[in-house]
Amino acid sequence: MKHVVFAHRKLSFGGGERVLIEQVAALAGLPVKVSVIFRKEPGKRDIEAELRQRNPNVAEVLHLPGALEAGRWLWRTRPHLLVLCNHKGVQRALPWLARFGLRLPLVPVLHEHYERHLRKYRGVRNLVNRWICTYDFTAAVRERLGPAPCSIIHPLYPRPEAAAVAPADRLAARRQLGLSGTGPVVGYVGQIDGRKDPLSVLRFAEALGGGASLLFAGREEPGTAAALQAAVEASPLRERTRRLGPLADLDPAFAALDLYVMTSRNEGFFPLALIEALERGVPVLAPTVGGIGSVMKDGEGGFLIPKPDDRRAIPQDLLEAAARRLAPLLADGAAWEAQRAKAHAFGTALTRDYDAAAAFRDAVAAWL
């Protein structure tokens, strides 16, 4: 039986971890033994149960953070394929293994085109057999990492057909969550950390005016939570802001929203949270980071903020411009219902006919 190892950064919930789950699941019907090794947050194995459930051939899930222990394990197990995503220990070990005569078939998964992301792989670029990119930034890979072939596989996975949120369900969700029944409800649902920059969501909501209420739902990184708490306490929206923390069921949080606001400093192809909002008929506002601007058409159920860099927060003038643009639309019931319909149609169409699992199997078929 062939042995495939997935070397990943962490196993707590996130967009990259969803890609890992689906890649592991894509091999479930094949006679392939699977191991997963990871380097960060050993106490957070949020996705381990789903990995094992989606592929019964997952033999082990191991925390191997450092180059020495990961290298020793790879030397001993000698897998037939290594699928790598930002595991620094493995990346440091591979050149040493090659010097001692062990060169493993290597397929790294790249989520972002930014130079600072790609340079993490410079140490292994001469060992790579194939790159997998989650959107088409082949030119950047060629320029910075070399000529190994690239497979473009969008992380769009089959999902049950979702219904748009009905007005009555929207009102019920707002009552359940203690939100005002008047004015638009805007907010963010998902992992809340510095990269997601929730303070910019707050700054947008403040600029929006119109009696807006603000909603946050999701696990909060402690440092970001403290900064957000201080900003909310000093905000004119203090009494109209709800922070729900992690929820077992995110449906009410999404259902309550008129507008989903993402202000991330950087992203990969197209965050799952955007799809979850769109397919429920919730229009989104998002920056042109990662692959978002290549997929979403501005004004068609989604609205874009131009953002050329991947490090800084969205400038205040761009947040205010977005607020000036969206305020009259949100106040126009018929116009916003049209945007809701466009959002639902776009969100459900994204994943309907795309088979990322087959594309992944094709990309790694030579080693299976």
Side-chain angles (χ1 to χ4, degrees):
M1 180 179 281
K2 295 292 181 73
H3 183 199
V4 177
V5 172
F6 291 84
H8 207 75
R9 181 169 176 259
K10 61 185 179 68
L11 298 185
S12 55
F13 290 116
E17 289 65 49
R18 173 52 54 187
V19 173
L20 170 64
I21 291 170
E22 298 297 341
Q23 288 176 343
V24 170
L27 305 183
L30 303 176
V32 174
K33 172 186 173 183
V34 172
S35 298
V36 178
I37 63 176
F38 67 105
R39 71 177 180 89
K40 288 192 69 176
E41 302 176 347
K44 293 181 180 178
R45 294 173 173 246
D46 300 339
I47 67 171
E48 181 176 359
E50 186 172 356
L51 286 168
R52 294 183 181 278
Q53 184 269 324
R54 297 285 299 278
N55 189 335
N57 292 326
V58 173
E60 51 203 343
V61 178
L62 303 172
H63 178 239
L64 298 174
L68 184 60
E69 54 201 322
R72 284 175 173 170
W73 186 84
L74 290 169
W75 180 269
R76 186 173 68 252
T77 56
R78 299 178 180 244
H80 298 91
L81 174 65
L82 176 60
V83 181
L84 171 67
C85 185
N86 198 17
H87 191 303
K88 291 180 181 178
V90 169
Q91 287 161 223
R92 293 187 182 114
L94 288 175
W96 287 100
L97 293 176
R99 288 183 187 183
F100 286 101
L102 178 61
R103 180 164 177 166
L104 301 172
L106 178 61
V107 177
V109 179
L110 305 175
H111 289 284
E112 300 173 13
H113 72 278
Y114 305 108
E115 190 276 334
R116 72 183 184 90
H117 179 72
L118 297 182
R119 69 171 177 246
K120 297 175 184 177
Y121 294 90
R122 287 183 299 190
V124 299
R125 59 187 170 184
N126 295 326
L127 303 175
V128 170
N129 296 87
R130 176 175 293 276
W131 304 97
I132 291 178
C133 303
T134 55
Y135 55 103
D136 192 355
F137 47 92
T138 305
V141 174
R142 293 278 182 272
E143 177 185 352
R144 299 186 174 108
L145 295 174
C150 294
S151 293
I152 312 303
I153 306 177
H154 301 320
L156 298 172
Y157 302 104
R159 299 171 60 79
E161 188 74 20
V165 177
D169 294 330
R170 191 177 312 131
L171 290 174
R174 291 179 183 183
R175 286 195 295 267
Q176 176 184 338
L177 301 176
L179 290 162
S180 170
T182 61
V185 177
V186 303
Y188 171 82
V189 181
Q191 177 74 20
I192 299 175
D193 55 30
R195 184 173 68 87
K196 298 295 186 180
D197 192 17
L199 272 66
S200 289
V201 178
L202 173 61
R203 290 188 287 130
F204 167 80
E206 290 171 344
L208 188 65
S213 296
L214 179 59
L215 171 68
F216 291 102
R219 177 187 290 166
E220 298 182 350
E221 183 272 329
T224 303
L228 181 59
Q229 176 67 25
V232 169
E233 288 179 354
S235 172
L237 293 181
R238 178 180 58 193
E239 301 302 325
R240 300 179 70 88
T241 298
R242 294 280 290 141
R243 291 166 61 202
L244 305 177
L247 300 174
D249 181 8
L250 292 173
D251 279 345
F254 278 109
L257 293 174
D258 290 301
L259 176 69
Y260 183 94
V261 182
M262 175 172 282
T263 55
S264 304
R265 295 170 186 254
N266 56 73
E267 286 289 348
F269 166 62
F270 199 84
L272 177 61
L274 292 184
I275 297 174
E276 291 180 313
L278 289 164
E279 67 187 6
R280 290 171 168 87
V282 180
V284 304
L285 174 67
T288 54
V289 295
I292 295 172
S294 69
V295 176
M296 194 161 67
K297 294 182 179 179
D298 188 68
E300 298 295 316
F303 302 88
L304 296 169
I305 301 176
K307 186 176 188 293
D309 69 275
D310 69 321
R311 303 303 296 271
R312 293 181 292 273
I314 298 172
Q316 182 67 22
D317 63 331
L318 293 182
L319 294 172
E320 291 175 358
R324 287 193 300 271
R325 179 188 181 191
L326 290 176
L329 283 172
L330 281 162
D332 184 333
W336 201 250
E337 282 305 312
Q339 289 295 333
R340 286 186 177 277
K342 291 177 179 180
H344 174 66
F346 172 51
T348 52
L350 264 176
T351 59
R352 186 177 297 138
D353 300 316
Y354 192 82
D355 193 345
F360 177 72
R361 287 191 295 269
D362 287 345
V364 300
W367 302 284
L368 301 183

